[in-house]
PDB file of all heavy atoms in Angstrom:
ATOM      1  N   HIS A   1      53.619 128.506 217.632  1.00  0.00           N
ATOM      2  CA  HIS A   1      53.505 127.323 216.772  1.00  0.00           C
ATOM      3  C   HIS A   1      54.844 127.103 216.068  1.00  0.00           C
ATOM      4  O   HIS A   1      55.053 127.552 214.939  1.00  0.00           O
ATOM      5  CB  HIS A   1      52.385 127.494 215.756  1.00  0.00           C
ATOM      6  CG  HIS A   1      51.039 127.698 216.385  1.00  0.00           C
ATOM      7  ND1 HIS A   1      50.625 128.932 216.852  1.00  0.00           N
ATOM      8  CD2 HIS A   1      50.029 126.830 216.626  1.00  0.00           C
ATOM      9  CE1 HIS A   1      49.403 128.796 217.358  1.00  0.00           C
ATOM     10  NE2 HIS A   1      49.027 127.537 217.237  1.00  0.00           N
ATOM     11  N   ALA A   2      55.736 126.409 216.749  1.00  0.00           N
ATOM     12  CA  ALA A   2      57.101 126.250 216.255  1.00  0.00           C
ATOM     13  C   ALA A   2      57.182 125.468 214.949  1.00  0.00           C
ATOM     14  O   ALA A   2      58.161 125.578 214.208  1.00  0.00           O
ATOM     15  CB  ALA A   2      57.946 125.559 217.317  1.00  0.00           C
ATOM     16  N   ASN A   3      56.155 124.669 214.644  1.00  0.00           N
ATOM     17  CA  ASN A   3      56.208 123.850 213.433  1.00  0.00           C
ATOM     18  C   ASN A   3      55.539 124.517 212.239  1.00  0.00           C
ATOM     19  O   ASN A   3      55.398 123.901 211.181  1.00  0.00           O
ATOM     20  CB  ASN A   3      55.541 122.495 213.683  1.00  0.00           C
ATOM     21  CG  ASN A   3      54.041 122.630 213.888  1.00  0.00           C
ATOM     22  OD1 ASN A   3      53.594 123.562 214.561  1.00  0.00           O
ATOM     23  ND2 ASN A   3      53.280 121.719 213.322  1.00  0.00           N
ATOM     24  N   ILE A   4      55.113 125.778 212.400  1.00  0.00           N
ATOM     25  CA  ILE A   4      54.445 126.485 211.302  1.00  0.00           C
ATOM     26  C   ILE A   4      55.274 127.697 210.894  1.00  0.00           C
ATOM     27  O   ILE A   4      55.612 128.544 211.726  1.00  0.00           O
ATOM     28  CB  ILE A   4      53.025 126.929 211.694  1.00  0.00           C
ATOM     29  CG1 ILE A   4      52.138 125.694 211.916  1.00  0.00           C
ATOM     30  CG2 ILE A   4      52.418 127.819 210.608  1.00  0.00           C
ATOM     31  CD1 ILE A   4      50.706 126.024 212.313  1.00  0.00           C
ATOM     32  N   ALA A   5      55.602 127.751 209.623  1.00  0.00           N
ATOM     33  CA  ALA A   5      56.286 128.906 209.053  1.00  0.00           C
ATOM     34  C   ALA A   5      55.301 129.644 208.159  1.00  0.00           C
ATOM     35  O   ALA A   5      54.665 129.029 207.296  1.00  0.00           O
ATOM     36  CB  ALA A   5      57.496 128.468 208.241  1.00  0.00           C
ATOM     37  N   ILE A   6      55.154 130.942 208.377  1.00  0.00           N
ATOM     38  CA  ILE A   6      54.247 131.742 207.557  1.00  0.00           C
ATOM     39  C   ILE A   6      55.081 132.537 206.558  1.00  0.00           C
ATOM     40  O   ILE A   6      55.925 133.347 206.932  1.00  0.00           O
ATOM     41  CB  ILE A   6      53.400 132.687 208.426  1.00  0.00           C
ATOM     42  CG1 ILE A   6      52.541 131.865 209.395  1.00  0.00           C
ATOM     43  CG2 ILE A   6      52.520 133.566 207.544  1.00  0.00           C
ATOM     44  CD1 ILE A   6      51.719 132.695 210.340  1.00  0.00           C
ATOM     45  N   VAL A   7      54.844 132.274 205.299  1.00  0.00           N
ATOM     46  CA  VAL A   7      55.550 132.963 204.224  1.00  0.00           C
ATOM     47  C   VAL A   7      54.542 133.864 203.536  1.00  0.00           C
ATOM     48  O   VAL A   7      53.540 133.399 202.998  1.00  0.00           O
ATOM     49  CB  VAL A   7      56.157 131.962 203.216  1.00  0.00           C
ATOM     50  CG1 VAL A   7      56.911 132.709 202.124  1.00  0.00           C
ATOM     51  CG2 VAL A   7      57.084 130.990 203.947  1.00  0.00           C
ATOM     52  N   GLY A   8      54.773 135.155 203.582  1.00  0.00           N
ATOM     53  CA  GLY A   8      53.772 136.095 203.104  1.00  0.00           C
ATOM     54  C   GLY A   8      54.234 136.968 201.966  1.00  0.00           C
ATOM     55  O   GLY A   8      55.430 137.118 201.714  1.00  0.00           O
ATOM     56  N   GLU A   9      53.275 137.549 201.285  1.00  0.00           N
ATOM     57  CA  GLU A   9      53.567 138.500 200.216  1.00  0.00           C
ATOM     58  C   GLU A   9      52.494 139.571 200.212  1.00  0.00           C
ATOM     59  O   GLU A   9      51.305 139.284 200.288  1.00  0.00           O
ATOM     60  CB  GLU A   9      53.599 137.807 198.862  1.00  0.00           C
ATOM     61  CG  GLU A   9      53.910 138.768 197.707  1.00  0.00           C
ATOM     62  CD  GLU A   9      53.941 138.083 196.355  1.00  0.00           C
ATOM     63  OE1 GLU A   9      53.804 136.844 196.321  1.00  0.00           O
ATOM     64  OE2 GLU A   9      54.102 138.785 195.350  1.00  0.00           O
ATOM     65  N   SER A  10      52.926 140.816 200.118  1.00  0.00           N
ATOM     66  CA  SER A  10      52.007 141.944 200.003  1.00  0.00           C
ATOM     67  C   SER A  10      52.136 142.531 198.612  1.00  0.00           C
ATOM     68  O   SER A  10      53.244 142.732 198.114  1.00  0.00           O
ATOM     69  CB  SER A  10      52.357 143.011 201.051  1.00  0.00           C
ATOM     70  OG  SER A  10      51.576 144.168 200.848  1.00  0.00           O
ATOM     71  N   ALA A  11      51.017 142.774 197.972  1.00  0.00           N
ATOM     72  CA  ALA A  11      51.015 143.367 196.633  1.00  0.00           C
ATOM     73  C   ALA A  11      50.202 144.648 196.669  1.00  0.00           C
ATOM     74  O   ALA A  11      49.575 144.982 197.666  1.00  0.00           O
ATOM     75  CB  ALA A  11      50.450 142.390 195.608  1.00  0.00           C
ATOM     76  N   SER A  12      50.196 145.338 195.553  1.00  0.00           N
ATOM     77  CA  SER A  12      49.482 146.614 195.501  1.00  0.00           C
ATOM     78  C   SER A  12      48.548 146.632 194.301  1.00  0.00           C
ATOM     79  O   SER A  12      47.569 145.913 194.260  1.00  0.00           O
ATOM     80  CB  SER A  12      50.487 147.766 195.450  1.00  0.00           C
ATOM     81  OG  SER A  12      49.843 149.012 195.501  1.00  0.00           O
ATOM     82  N   ALA A  13      48.886 147.414 193.282  1.00  0.00           N
ATOM     83  CA  ALA A  13      47.976 147.611 192.157  1.00  0.00           C
ATOM     84  C   ALA A  13      47.707 146.328 191.388  1.00  0.00           C
ATOM     85  O   ALA A  13      46.644 146.163 190.797  1.00  0.00           O
ATOM     86  CB  ALA A  13      48.541 148.671 191.214  1.00  0.00           C
ATOM     87  N   ASP A  14      48.657 145.396 191.391  1.00  0.00           N
ATOM     88  CA  ASP A  14      48.504 144.180 190.595  1.00  0.00           C
ATOM     89  C   ASP A  14      48.007 142.997 191.418  1.00  0.00           C
ATOM     90  O   ASP A  14      48.101 141.852 190.986  1.00  0.00           O
ATOM     91  CB  ASP A  14      49.837 143.816 189.935  1.00  0.00           C
ATOM     92  CG  ASP A  14      50.953 143.581 190.966  1.00  0.00           C
ATOM     93  OD1 ASP A  14      50.738 143.888 192.160  1.00  0.00           O
ATOM     94  OD2 ASP A  14      52.013 143.098 190.567  1.00  0.00           O
ATOM     95  N   TYR A  15      47.444 143.269 192.583  1.00  0.00           N
ATOM     96  CA  TYR A  15      47.054 142.197 193.497  1.00  0.00           C
ATOM     97  C   TYR A  15      46.127 141.180 192.837  1.00  0.00           C
ATOM     98  O   TYR A  15      46.393 139.970 192.831  1.00  0.00           O
ATOM     99  CB  TYR A  15      46.384 142.786 194.745  1.00  0.00           C
ATOM    100  CG  TYR A  15      45.914 141.725 195.728  1.00  0.00           C
ATOM    101  CD1 TYR A  15      46.767 141.252 196.715  1.00  0.00           C
ATOM    102  CD2 TYR A  15      44.626 141.197 195.654  1.00  0.00           C
ATOM    103  CE1 TYR A  15      46.360 140.282 197.614  1.00  0.00           C
ATOM    104  CE2 TYR A  15      44.209 140.211 196.547  1.00  0.00           C
ATOM    105  CZ  TYR A  15      45.075 139.758 197.521  1.00  0.00           C
ATOM    106  OH  TYR A  15      44.660 138.779 198.398  1.00  0.00           O
ATOM    107  N   PHE A  16      45.019 141.657 192.278  1.00  0.00           N
ATOM    108  CA  PHE A  16      44.022 140.727 191.757  1.00  0.00           C
ATOM    109  C   PHE A  16      44.461 140.072 190.451  1.00  0.00           C
ATOM    110  O   PHE A  16      44.104 138.928 190.175  1.00  0.00           O
ATOM    111  CB  PHE A  16      42.671 141.420 191.601  1.00  0.00           C
ATOM    112  CG  PHE A  16      41.980 141.643 192.916  1.00  0.00           C
ATOM    113  CD1 PHE A  16      41.984 142.887 193.516  1.00  0.00           C
ATOM    114  CD2 PHE A  16      41.359 140.599 193.575  1.00  0.00           C
ATOM    115  CE1 PHE A  16      41.372 143.088 194.742  1.00  0.00           C
ATOM    116  CE2 PHE A  16      40.742 140.778 194.799  1.00  0.00           C
ATOM    117  CZ  PHE A  16      40.749 142.035 195.387  1.00  0.00           C
ATOM    118  N   GLN A  17      45.249 140.780 189.646  1.00  0.00           N
ATOM    119  CA  GLN A  17      45.786 140.141 188.447  1.00  0.00           C
ATOM    120  C   GLN A  17      46.667 138.958 188.836  1.00  0.00           C
ATOM    121  O   GLN A  17      46.598 137.890 188.223  1.00  0.00           O
ATOM    122  CB  GLN A  17      46.597 141.143 187.612  1.00  0.00           C
ATOM    123  CG  GLN A  17      45.770 142.255 186.987  1.00  0.00           C
ATOM    124  CD  GLN A  17      45.738 143.507 187.835  1.00  0.00           C
ATOM    125  OE1 GLN A  17      45.591 143.435 189.051  1.00  0.00           O
ATOM    126  NE2 GLN A  17      45.872 144.653 187.190  1.00  0.00           N
ATOM    127  N   LYS A  18      47.491 139.153 189.865  1.00  0.00           N
ATOM    128  CA  LYS A  18      48.354 138.072 190.324  1.00  0.00           C
ATOM    129  C   LYS A  18      47.533 136.933 190.918  1.00  0.00           C
ATOM    130  O   LYS A  18      47.857 135.759 190.723  1.00  0.00           O
ATOM    131  CB  LYS A  18      49.353 138.601 191.351  1.00  0.00           C
ATOM    132  CG  LYS A  18      50.394 139.545 190.770  1.00  0.00           C
ATOM    133  CD  LYS A  18      51.333 140.080 191.835  1.00  0.00           C
ATOM    134  CE  LYS A  18      52.207 138.995 192.419  1.00  0.00           C
ATOM    135  NZ  LYS A  18      53.199 139.551 193.383  1.00  0.00           N
ATOM    136  N   LEU A  19      46.452 137.292 191.626  1.00  0.00           N
ATOM    137  CA  LEU A  19      45.612 136.264 192.231  1.00  0.00           C
ATOM    138  C   LEU A  19      44.952 135.402 191.149  1.00  0.00           C
ATOM    139  O   LEU A  19      44.874 134.176 191.281  1.00  0.00           O
ATOM    140  CB  LEU A  19      44.551 136.908 193.123  1.00  0.00           C
ATOM    141  CG  LEU A  19      43.669 135.949 193.934  1.00  0.00           C
ATOM    142  CD1 LEU A  19      44.518 135.074 194.847  1.00  0.00           C
ATOM    143  CD2 LEU A  19      42.645 136.739 194.757  1.00  0.00           C
ATOM    144  N   VAL A  20      44.480 136.033 190.088  1.00  0.00           N
ATOM    145  CA  VAL A  20      43.883 135.283 188.986  1.00  0.00           C
ATOM    146  C   VAL A  20      44.912 134.366 188.335  1.00  0.00           C
ATOM    147  O   VAL A  20      44.616 133.210 187.997  1.00  0.00           O
ATOM    148  CB  VAL A  20      43.277 136.251 187.943  1.00  0.00           C
ATOM    149  CG1 VAL A  20      42.880 135.502 186.672  1.00  0.00           C
ATOM    150  CG2 VAL A  20      42.062 136.970 188.526  1.00  0.00           C
ATOM    151  N   THR A  21      46.129 134.872 188.165  1.00  0.00           N
ATOM    152  CA  THR A  21      47.195 134.050 187.592  1.00  0.00           C
ATOM    153  C   THR A  21      47.493 132.852 188.496  1.00  0.00           C
ATOM    154  O   THR A  21      47.659 131.717 188.027  1.00  0.00           O
ATOM    155  CB  THR A  21      48.471 134.884 187.405  1.00  0.00           C
ATOM    156  OG1 THR A  21      48.194 135.970 186.520  1.00  0.00           O
ATOM    157  CG2 THR A  21      49.595 134.038 186.827  1.00  0.00           C
ATOM    158  N   MET A  22      47.560 133.097 189.814  1.00  0.00           N
ATOM    159  CA  MET A  22      47.781 132.012 190.761  1.00  0.00           C
ATOM    160  C   MET A  22      46.653 130.984 190.696  1.00  0.00           C
ATOM    161  O   MET A  22      46.889 129.777 190.768  1.00  0.00           O
ATOM    162  CB  MET A  22      47.882 132.568 192.186  1.00  0.00           C
ATOM    163  CG  MET A  22      49.110 133.417 192.464  1.00  0.00           C
ATOM    164  SD  MET A  22      48.950 134.174 194.118  1.00  0.00           S
ATOM    165  CE  MET A  22      50.461 135.117 194.222  1.00  0.00           C
ATOM    166  N   MET A  23      45.431 131.482 190.548  1.00  0.00           N
ATOM    167  CA  MET A  23      44.286 130.587 190.480  1.00  0.00           C
ATOM    168  C   MET A  23      44.385 129.695 189.244  1.00  0.00           C
ATOM    169  O   MET A  23      44.112 128.488 189.305  1.00  0.00           O
ATOM    170  CB  MET A  23      42.991 131.403 190.445  1.00  0.00           C
ATOM    171  CG  MET A  23      41.721 130.570 190.478  1.00  0.00           C
ATOM    172  SD  MET A  23      40.243 131.586 190.684  1.00  0.00           S
ATOM    173  CE  MET A  23      40.298 132.539 189.175  1.00  0.00           C
ATOM    174  N   GLY A  24      44.785 130.276 188.114  1.00  0.00           N
ATOM    175  CA  GLY A  24      44.939 129.503 186.890  1.00  0.00           C
ATOM    176  C   GLY A  24      45.994 128.419 187.026  1.00  0.00           C
ATOM    177  O   GLY A  24      45.884 127.342 186.428  1.00  0.00           O
ATOM    178  N   GLY A  25      47.034 128.702 187.822  1.00  0.00           N
ATOM    179  CA  GLY A  25      48.090 127.726 188.042  1.00  0.00           C
ATOM    180  C   GLY A  25      47.863 126.855 189.258  1.00  0.00           C
ATOM    181  O   GLY A  25      48.761 126.107 189.659  1.00  0.00           O
ATOM    182  N   ARG A  26      46.669 126.962 189.865  1.00  0.00           N
ATOM    183  CA  ARG A  26      46.328 126.213 191.093  1.00  0.00           C
ATOM    184  C   ARG A  26      47.407 126.412 192.149  1.00  0.00           C
ATOM    185  O   ARG A  26      47.862 125.482 192.813  1.00  0.00           O
ATOM    186  CB  ARG A  26      46.125 124.725 190.790  1.00  0.00           C
ATOM    187  CG  ARG A  26      44.963 124.459 189.853  1.00  0.00           C
ATOM    188  CD  ARG A  26      44.751 122.973 189.618  1.00  0.00           C
ATOM    189  NE  ARG A  26      44.395 122.277 190.852  1.00  0.00           N
ATOM    190  CZ  ARG A  26      43.193 122.270 191.430  1.00  0.00           C
ATOM    191  NH1 ARG A  26      42.190 122.951 190.855  1.00  0.00           N
ATOM    192  NH2 ARG A  26      42.970 121.595 192.527  1.00  0.00           N
ATOM    193  N   ASN A  27      47.793 127.677 192.309  1.00  0.00           N
ATOM    194  CA  ASN A  27      48.887 128.019 193.216  1.00  0.00           C
ATOM    195  C   ASN A  27      48.490 129.179 194.122  1.00  0.00           C
ATOM    196  O   ASN A  27      49.322 130.002 194.490  1.00  0.00           O
ATOM    197  CB  ASN A  27      50.136 128.380 192.397  1.00  0.00           C
ATOM    198  CG  ASN A  27      51.368 128.545 193.261  1.00  0.00           C
ATOM    199  OD1 ASN A  27      51.556 127.814 194.239  1.00  0.00           O
ATOM    200  ND2 ASN A  27      52.200 129.513 192.925  1.00  0.00           N
ATOM    201  N   ILE A  28      47.225 129.250 194.487  1.00  0.00           N
ATOM    202  CA  ILE A  28      46.760 130.334 195.355  1.00  0.00           C
ATOM    203  C   ILE A  28      47.323 130.135 196.760  1.00  0.00           C
ATOM    204  O   ILE A  28      47.333 129.007 197.271  1.00  0.00           O
ATOM    205  CB  ILE A  28      45.215 130.367 195.415  1.00  0.00           C
ATOM    206  CG1 ILE A  28      44.637 130.638 194.031  1.00  0.00           C
ATOM    207  CG2 ILE A  28      44.733 131.424 196.388  1.00  0.00           C
ATOM    208  CD1 ILE A  28      43.127 130.667 194.017  1.00  0.00           C
ATOM    209  N   PRO A  29      47.796 131.199 197.415  1.00  0.00           N
ATOM    210  CA  PRO A  29      48.266 131.075 198.803  1.00  0.00           C
ATOM    211  C   PRO A  29      47.187 130.497 199.707  1.00  0.00           C
ATOM    212  O   PRO A  29      45.988 130.647 199.451  1.00  0.00           O
ATOM    213  CB  PRO A  29      48.607 132.524 199.169  1.00  0.00           C
ATOM    214  CG  PRO A  29      48.961 133.159 197.864  1.00  0.00           C
ATOM    215  CD  PRO A  29      48.035 132.545 196.866  1.00  0.00           C
ATOM    216  N   ASP A  30      47.617 129.850 200.775  1.00  0.00           N
ATOM    217  CA  ASP A  30      46.670 129.191 201.681  1.00  0.00           C
ATOM    218  C   ASP A  30      45.643 130.165 202.233  1.00  0.00           C
ATOM    219  O   ASP A  30      44.448 129.851 202.325  1.00  0.00           O
ATOM    220  CB  ASP A  30      47.436 128.546 202.838  1.00  0.00           C
ATOM    221  CG  ASP A  30      48.446 127.536 202.368  1.00  0.00           C
ATOM    222  OD1 ASP A  30      48.053 126.398 202.044  1.00  0.00           O
ATOM    223  OD2 ASP A  30      49.641 127.884 202.306  1.00  0.00           O
ATOM    224  N   VAL A  31      46.102 131.346 202.637  1.00  0.00           N
ATOM    225  CA  VAL A  31      45.225 132.387 203.184  1.00  0.00           C
ATOM    226  C   VAL A  31      45.418 133.636 202.348  1.00  0.00           C
ATOM    227  O   VAL A  31      46.541 134.115 202.176  1.00  0.00           O
ATOM    228  CB  VAL A  31      45.564 132.687 204.664  1.00  0.00           C
ATOM    229  CG1 VAL A  31      44.669 133.792 205.202  1.00  0.00           C
ATOM    230  CG2 VAL A  31      45.433 131.422 205.509  1.00  0.00           C
ATOM    231  N   PHE A  32      44.328 134.167 201.802  1.00  0.00           N
ATOM    232  CA  PHE A  32      44.442 135.345 200.954  1.00  0.00           C
ATOM    233  C   PHE A  32      43.322 136.326 201.255  1.00  0.00           C
ATOM    234  O   PHE A  32      42.251 135.952 201.726  1.00  0.00           O
ATOM    235  CB  PHE A  32      44.474 134.976 199.463  1.00  0.00           C
ATOM    236  CG  PHE A  32      43.264 134.231 198.966  1.00  0.00           C
ATOM    237  CD1 PHE A  32      42.247 134.893 198.283  1.00  0.00           C
ATOM    238  CD2 PHE A  32      43.142 132.861 199.163  1.00  0.00           C
ATOM    239  CE1 PHE A  32      41.145 134.212 197.810  1.00  0.00           C
ATOM    240  CE2 PHE A  32      42.034 132.165 198.693  1.00  0.00           C
ATOM    241  CZ  PHE A  32      41.035 132.846 198.011  1.00  0.00           C
ATOM    242  N   GLN A  33      43.603 137.581 200.991  1.00  0.00           N
ATOM    243  CA  GLN A  33      42.699 138.672 201.360  1.00  0.00           C
ATOM    244  C   GLN A  33      41.749 139.011 200.215  1.00  0.00           C
ATOM    245  O   GLN A  33      42.155 139.129 199.064  1.00  0.00           O
ATOM    246  CB  GLN A  33      43.538 139.902 201.720  1.00  0.00           C
ATOM    247  CG  GLN A  33      42.748 141.085 202.256  1.00  0.00           C
ATOM    248  CD  GLN A  33      43.676 142.182 202.750  1.00  0.00           C
ATOM    249  OE1 GLN A  33      44.169 142.131 203.868  1.00  0.00           O
ATOM    250  NE2 GLN A  33      43.923 143.169 201.909  1.00  0.00           N
ATOM    251  N   LEU A  34      40.479 139.164 200.573  1.00  0.00           N
ATOM    252  CA  LEU A  34      39.457 139.633 199.640  1.00  0.00           C
ATOM    253  C   LEU A  34      38.676 140.746 200.321  1.00  0.00           C
ATOM    254  O   LEU A  34      38.967 141.132 201.447  1.00  0.00           O
ATOM    255  CB  LEU A  34      38.510 138.489 199.242  1.00  0.00           C
ATOM    256  CG  LEU A  34      39.126 137.341 198.429  1.00  0.00           C
ATOM    257  CD1 LEU A  34      38.116 136.220 198.255  1.00  0.00           C
ATOM    258  CD2 LEU A  34      39.613 137.834 197.070  1.00  0.00           C
ATOM    259  N   GLU A  35      37.701 141.295 199.622  1.00  0.00           N
ATOM    260  CA  GLU A  35      36.757 142.252 200.198  1.00  0.00           C
ATOM    261  C   GLU A  35      35.381 141.935 199.608  1.00  0.00           C
ATOM    262  O   GLU A  35      35.275 141.063 198.733  1.00  0.00           O
ATOM    263  CB  GLU A  35      37.221 143.693 199.961  1.00  0.00           C
ATOM    264  CG  GLU A  35      37.676 144.013 198.556  1.00  0.00           C
ATOM    265  CD  GLU A  35      36.527 144.311 197.642  1.00  0.00           C
ATOM    266  OE1 GLU A  35      35.615 145.036 198.043  1.00  0.00           O
ATOM    267  OE2 GLU A  35      36.532 143.798 196.508  1.00  0.00           O
ATOM    268  N   PRO A  36      34.309 142.571 200.087  1.00  0.00           N
ATOM    269  CA  PRO A  36      32.969 142.134 199.690  1.00  0.00           C
ATOM    270  C   PRO A  36      32.729 142.065 198.196  1.00  0.00           C
ATOM    271  O   PRO A  36      32.024 141.163 197.723  1.00  0.00           O
ATOM    272  CB  PRO A  36      32.062 143.181 200.356  1.00  0.00           C
ATOM    273  CG  PRO A  36      32.822 143.628 201.541  1.00  0.00           C
ATOM    274  CD  PRO A  36      34.259 143.635 201.116  1.00  0.00           C
ATOM    275  N   ASN A  37      33.270 142.996 197.431  1.00  0.00           N
ATOM    276  CA  ASN A  37      33.003 142.994 195.992  1.00  0.00           C
ATOM    277  C   ASN A  37      33.730 141.886 195.249  1.00  0.00           C
ATOM    278  O   ASN A  37      33.424 141.608 194.097  1.00  0.00           O
ATOM    279  CB  ASN A  37      33.395 144.351 195.390  1.00  0.00           C
ATOM    280  CG  ASN A  37      32.455 145.452 195.809  1.00  0.00           C
ATOM    281  OD1 ASN A  37      31.243 145.268 195.852  1.00  0.00           O
ATOM    282  ND2 ASN A  37      32.995 146.607 196.139  1.00  0.00           N
ATOM    283  N   THR A  38      34.723 141.270 195.904  1.00  0.00           N
ATOM    284  CA  THR A  38      35.457 140.189 195.246  1.00  0.00           C
ATOM    285  C   THR A  38      35.212 138.829 195.886  1.00  0.00           C
ATOM    286  O   THR A  38      35.505 137.804 195.267  1.00  0.00           O
ATOM    287  CB  THR A  38      36.970 140.484 195.255  1.00  0.00           C
ATOM    288  OG1 THR A  38      37.392 140.779 196.601  1.00  0.00           O
ATOM    289  CG2 THR A  38      37.296 141.662 194.352  1.00  0.00           C
ATOM    290  N   LEU A  39      34.653 138.780 197.095  1.00  0.00           N
ATOM    291  CA  LEU A  39      34.398 137.499 197.756  1.00  0.00           C
ATOM    292  C   LEU A  39      33.457 136.637 196.929  1.00  0.00           C
ATOM    293  O   LEU A  39      33.734 135.460 196.663  1.00  0.00           O
ATOM    294  CB  LEU A  39      33.814 137.728 199.148  1.00  0.00           C
ATOM    295  CG  LEU A  39      33.415 136.443 199.888  1.00  0.00           C
ATOM    296  CD1 LEU A  39      34.649 135.630 200.245  1.00  0.00           C
ATOM    297  CD2 LEU A  39      32.606 136.769 201.137  1.00  0.00           C
TER     298      LEU A  39
END
């Protein structure tokens, strides 16, 4: 897919804190990882 650029970020201990901050700023990545307890 030559017209698609995937820009990624991997986090560790602060993953969900950052996700909540992104959510507050309406800036959540297009595709993000969850697990059953957080879905």
Side-chain angles (χ1 to χ4, degrees):
H1 300 81
N3 68 319
I4 294 180
I6 299 177
V7 181
E9 180 180 356
S10 173
S12 184
D14 59 350
Y15 178 89
F16 285 102
Q17 293 94 317
K18 291 178 67 175
L19 185 59
V20 170
T21 300
M22 292 172 181
M23 184 171 64
R26 297 182 63 78
N27 189 37
I28 298 179
D30 301 281
V31 179
F32 59 100
Q33 186 173 277
L34 294 173
E35 47 82 44
N37 289 318
T38 52
L39 176 68

